[in-house]
Amino acid sequence: MHDWAYFEEHFPMVLHALKRAKKAGTLSHAYLIVSTNADFRREFPLLLSCLAVCSSPAEDGAPCGKCVNCTKVLEDLYPDSHTLAPTSKAREIVIGKDAEDIDTLRWFEAQFHLSASGASGWKIGIVQEADTMNESAQNAFLKTLEEPPGKCLFLLTTGRASRLLPTVRSRCQILYLTDNKCEYDFPRWGDVPGILAELVAPCRQEERLVKAYDGAESLIGIASSLYQAASDEAQKEWESRLEQAQDLESAGKKLLEKRLEGATGSRYRRSREQFMSLIHTWCALLALRASGIPPEALPNREIAENMGDLPEKVGEKRAFKILDHAGVLLSSLRVNVNDELALRAFCLNASLKSGM
Ligand SMILES: [Zn+2]
């Protein structure tokens, strides 16, 4: 598990603000932790719980991680902490019938009305993957978020903040743990940010279709150059072995050709993955900038350098919708959908639908 120091190193601004709130006694009663990293979503609520309940915090407010309270939290033994998570079958959090209906919102809320709070005085409620609460569960939870029973700390996590009702989001303080750091060294990667900026820039209604078309053509052009580049690289690396193979009998030649094919394939898959991640990362940066995160707090900020005032122009709501579309693109390509179709769908969605 990543510890407090790890998060402090990677998300200094977020943790600085939290420590300051702890020292000033102004911790919010509800935080929404937004991260595309599933480990962070699982781990950070525990560290945030430590921050609240630690009995011997450091001078700057950071939790010690060693006192009785911290230990209990980290070992998942803290008596006044309850976790609600989507059940494995439906991957959904529902309201439920009553307090006896385990793993439902009613059950979860009842824990805070029933149990008396212990030594630290805090009752902690963690809602993992809060976006899997269906709409009625979210609406029901609103009241608790508005008027928490006693000294409660609610910690919600999500990878897709835009799936939460705006009313739920607005009642939480949002913490962005953005770990989008991606690697890219495929041919023409430098063209991608410019193409995306052009694609999502606000424009007149009648120009949008043209933009979607142009954007798709450019991205497809890059995507299709990846295979050729991978093939060229593999050929080059295998050059001498192929030359020697001239003297081999046909079975030996065939085997070599097969291996070359394999080398080309794995290179291609790697650069294709990088290409898609770069699109997703750029969209994540756009959304984070639009939601007011300063550029210096962002990973991979080099690809967001030329965004200018685009994030403000696009706006937070639309930027997060675009990010959702990029997420769909990323996941659809992992299941081997036709690249060209997936890119066209993304461009249409990013320039048209999400603009409305
Ligand atoms: Zn402690």
Side-chain angles (χ1 to χ4, degrees):
M1 161 157 178
H2 301 101
D3 60 7
W4 182 271
Y6 175 89
F7 284 95
E8 183 134 26
E9 189 189 330
H10 286 78
F11 311 105
M13 315 244 313
V14 175
L15 272 76
H16 180 70
L18 286 169
K19 286 189 296 186
R20 218 171 41 201
K22 159 79 178 184
K23 274 192 85 170
T26 55
L27 279 177
S28 169
H29 70 275
Y31 287 96
L32 174 62
I33 298 156
V34 181
S35 178
T36 51
N37 184 315
D39 290 336
F40 293 175
R41 294 202 296 274
R42 200 181 56 249
E43 294 164 353
F44 199 64
L46 297 178
L47 295 171
L48 209 44
S49 304
C50 287
L51 179 75
V53 305
C54 180
S55 55
S56 57
E59 180 137 12
D60 66 353
C64 72
K66 294 184 189 104
C67 68
V68 180
N69 285 347
C70 283
T71 312
K72 279 188 179 161
V73 166
L74 294 173
E75 288 174 357
D76 212 10
L77 295 170
Y78 191 75
D80 292 312
S81 175
H82 306 279
T83 299
L84 181 64
T87 50
S88 54
K89 238 189 198 165
R91 292 290 300 157
E92 193 178 52
I93 296 171
V94 296
I95 283 199
K97 293 190 292 287
D98 51 35
E100 308 294 309
D101 200 358
I102 280 180
D103 287 339
T104 66
L105 188 75
R106 294 256 187 269
W107 164 83
F108 180 68
E109 289 191 317
Q111 309 308 312
F112 299 92
H113 295 282
L114 295 176
S115 65
S117 52
S120 76
W122 285 97
K123 289 187 200 172
I124 296 165
I126 298 173
V127 184
Q128 283 289 0
E129 313 298 328
D131 54 283
T132 61
M133 280 192 279
N134 64 24
E135 198 170 326
S136 47
Q138 288 191 41
N139 275 316
F141 191 42
L142 269 181
K143 203 170 157 8
T144 307
L145 277 178
E146 257 168 11
E147 295 165 28
K151 200 173 164 190
C152 285
L153 177 65
F154 288 108
L155 306 172
L156 286 63
T157 76
T158 181
R160 299 176 164 232
S162 59
R163 290 200 176 170
L164 282 165
L165 295 177
T167 41
V168 170
R169 279 199 277 167
S170 68
R171 279 164 183 77
C172 301
Q173 193 172 325
I174 303 185
L175 305 174
Y176 290 103
L177 303 183
T178 56
D179 185 43
N180 301 300
K181 208 148 187 70
C182 77
E183 311 251 327
Y184 45 85
D185 58 7
F186 58 88
R188 292 180 58 199
W189 66 262
D191 294 349
V192 174
I195 294 169
L196 294 173
E198 187 62 31
L199 177 71
V200 305
C203 64
R204 293 207 310 272
Q205 186 73 25
E206 59 271 27
E207 289 170 354
R208 285 185 176 163
L209 205 54
V210 178
K211 271 198 173 186
Y213 179 82
D214 288 348
E217 287 301 305
S218 307
L219 292 177
I220 288 166
I222 294 178
S224 50
S225 73
L226 298 179
Y227 189 84
Q228 193 54 49
S231 171
D232 291 348
E233 270 179 53
Q235 284 274 1
K236 214 171 161 192
E237 195 193 328
W238 284 64
E239 215 167 18
S240 62
R241 269 171 286 185
L242 285 169
E243 269 168 27
Q244 285 162 18
Q246 299 297 333
D247 311 325
L248 288 176
E249 75 279 25
S250 73
K253 242 187 233 168
K254 273 226 172 81
L255 184 66
L256 208 57
E257 273 162 16
K258 234 181 171 166
R259 288 200 179 142
L260 179 65
E261 220 178 277
T264 302
S266 68
R267 270 166 206 275
Y268 169 62
R269 278 192 297 277
R270 196 175 126 253
S271 52
R272 179 170 171 264
E273 178 80 30
Q274 287 185 352
F275 173 58
M276 297 306 166
S277 305
L278 184 58
I279 293 176
H280 186 258
T281 301
W282 188 90
C283 294
L285 291 174
L286 179 76
L288 294 169
R289 289 276 311 272
S291 63
I293 308 273
E296 58 271 18
L298 297 172
N300 282 124
R301 60 178 173 272
E302 72 282 1
I303 56 171
E305 251 163 23
N306 297 324
M307 275 184 186
D309 60 353
L310 189 64
E312 291 80 39
K313 278 189 188 155
V314 170
E316 182 179 359
K317 203 171 155 212
R318 192 181 152 222
F320 272 97
K321 278 191 182 164
I322 294 171
L323 177 58
D324 273 352
H325 293 306
V328 172
L329 174 71
L330 200 60
S331 56
S332 71
L333 286 156
R334 283 188 180 134
V335 292
N336 268 327
V337 175
N338 177 295
D339 287 13
E340 193 177 321
L341 279 181
L343 285 167
R344 283 196 196 283
F346 165 72
C347 289
L348 266 178
N349 284 325
S351 69
L352 296 174
K353 277 194 200 156
S354 52
M356 294 177 186

